[in-house]
Amino acid sequence: MSAVVWQAVMILSSYVLLDSSVQGCSPGWFGQHCDFQCNCNVSLSCGSQGDCPPNERCKLGFFGPGCQYVDLAARSSGASSPPYLFDNDETSCNPDSQATSVLYALTHGTPVSWFRIYSRYNPRQYSFHVKINGFGPYDDERQYLVNQHVVDVMWGEVYEIKDITIVGNIAPTICSIQITTGRNVALKQFANQSSVFNGAQGQASNAVDGYTSDKINGNSCVVTREEAPAIWRLYFRRPHIVSRAYVYSS
Ligand SMILES: *[C@@H]1O[C@H](CO)[C@@H](O)[C@H](O)[C@H]1NC(C)=O
Ligand SMILES: *[C@@H]1O[C@H](CO)[C@@H](O)[C@H](O)[C@H]1NC(C)=O
């Protein structure tokens, strides 16, 4: 069997650049080319910059400008990570008031250059450093205060991260963390493939339509005929530096 059968492709690039918007995208999409997907926690649609309605937030698994950063902490948490860290709720915090460190483990090693910490109080009052896979701190660690509750931790290079330990007196105040390698730049880009099984169903664009379900209208997958080589190919509207690609298979 050499047919390509995929539901979705997610290709992550480190930078979030929101296009200036034009009207007329179908519901659930925004941006100049309508290739940014809305990621609000209730509504399907969003504002012209991906902004969510007043009583909403980004849905689980997304954060940042226009809810475009893919949050790996919400998608790939290991058994040893306490749930308050990745429950999409910044009001549930570390129950251990004596904690001296907090460990977050991913299910598999992932290249990461920065992550975000939400604290119950102003992170400026605390000192901490970060260990990666049990080692560190690293000389190139930098901390940037984002607002009264949020601090971003960055490194000068990309490390293959299996787990992160936050060490210091900020530990008892930590409420959530978000880890990202960027946004999905595959969405709504041009794709084609060597053949399409079963007419219009199974066409190449199904892998970049934003749906990972195999049940959307019965035509959410890419399916080629059985052939060698079976090829699916993606063309970007503009170049991206890509750190990671995911393929969702049926
Ligand atoms: C959506 O987010 C808002 C604001 O944080 C929250 O009050 C609400 O419960 C959330 N709804 C769902 C369905 O997650
Ligand atoms: C896919 O599209 C590219 C660019 O338009 C074209 O050169 C190529 O022949 C196409 N491939 C297939 C298999 O249709």
Side-chain angles (χ1 to χ4, degrees):
M1 255 269 302
S2 57
V4 170
V5 184
W6 294 346
Q7 285 162 230
V9 172
M10 183 157 73
I11 294 176
L12 297 178
S13 168
S14 321
Y15 299 98
V16 169
L17 281 175
L18 297 183
D19 289 314
S20 60
S21 168
V22 292
Q23 300 301 311
C25 298
S26 52
W29 297 89
F30 70 100
Q32 191 184 353
H33 302 289
C34 300
D35 55 2
F36 287 80
Q37 192 168 24
C38 298
N39 291 312
C40 301
N41 77 335
V42 179
S43 303
L44 173 66
S45 52
C46 59
S48 63
Q49 297 293 311
D51 40 302
C52 297
N55 300 324
E56 295 189 31
R57 51 178 301 139
C58 300
K59 71 181 178 194
L60 182 67
F62 295 93
F63 72 103
C67 302
Q68 292 300 297
Y69 283 121
V70 172
D71 179 14
L72 297 175
R75 287 164 188 264
S76 176
S77 43
S80 52
S81 306
Y84 70 82
L85 280 180
F86 55 95
D87 59 358
N88 205 27
D89 181 354
E90 288 108 42
T91 60
S92 69
C93 306
N94 193 347
D96 179 2
S97 61
Q98 305 299 312
T100 55
S101 68
V102 165
L103 172 73
Y104 179 84
L106 289 156
T107 48
H108 41 260
T110 304
V112 171
S113 62
W114 68 277
F115 75 104
R116 180 164 284 187
I117 301 172
Y118 289 79
S119 169
R120 195 194 294 267
Y121 306 111
N122 192 331
R124 200 191 287 278
Q125 305 173 67
Y126 306 100
S127 65
F128 68 93
H129 63 260
V130 176
K131 291 185 172 185
I132 302 172
N133 307 334
F135 297 98
Y138 286 77
D139 289 342
D140 58 349
E141 179 186 317
R142 300 283 179 270
Q143 300 174 0
Y144 296 100
L145 197 71
V146 176
N147 64 37
Q148 297 288 304
H149 293 279
V150 179
V151 60
D152 285 349
V153 180
M154 300 184 185
W155 298 278
E157 57 181 289
V158 175
Y159 292 107
E160 179 89 7
I161 290 181
K162 183 83 174 66
D163 59 61
I164 282 170
T165 314
I166 304 159
V167 184
N169 61 3
I170 199 174
T173 82
I174 293 176
C175 303
S176 290
I177 68 166
Q178 290 164 330
I179 301 173
T180 192
T181 54
R183 86 169 193 95
N184 181 1
V185 290
L187 291 173
K188 299 278 189 184
Q189 304 299 294
F190 175 71
N192 64 12
Q193 62 197 28
S194 48
S195 68
V196 185
F197 180 77
N198 194 16
Q201 295 204 348
Q203 60 192 327
S205 59
N206 288 346
V208 291
D209 64 356
Y211 296 106
T212 53
S213 161
D214 57 2
K215 295 188 178 64
I216 304 287
N217 303 329
N219 57 356
S220 141
C221 295
V222 162
V223 191
T224 65
R225 288 194 295 267
E226 280 189 43
E227 60 195 355
I231 297 171
W232 179 88
R233 189 173 280 144
L234 181 66
Y235 298 81
F236 294 105
R237 198 168 273 125
R238 57 167 184 246
H240 295 284
I241 296 168
V242 166
S243 64
R244 202 164 175 82
Y246 294 81
V247 174
Y248 295 76
S249 179
S250 66

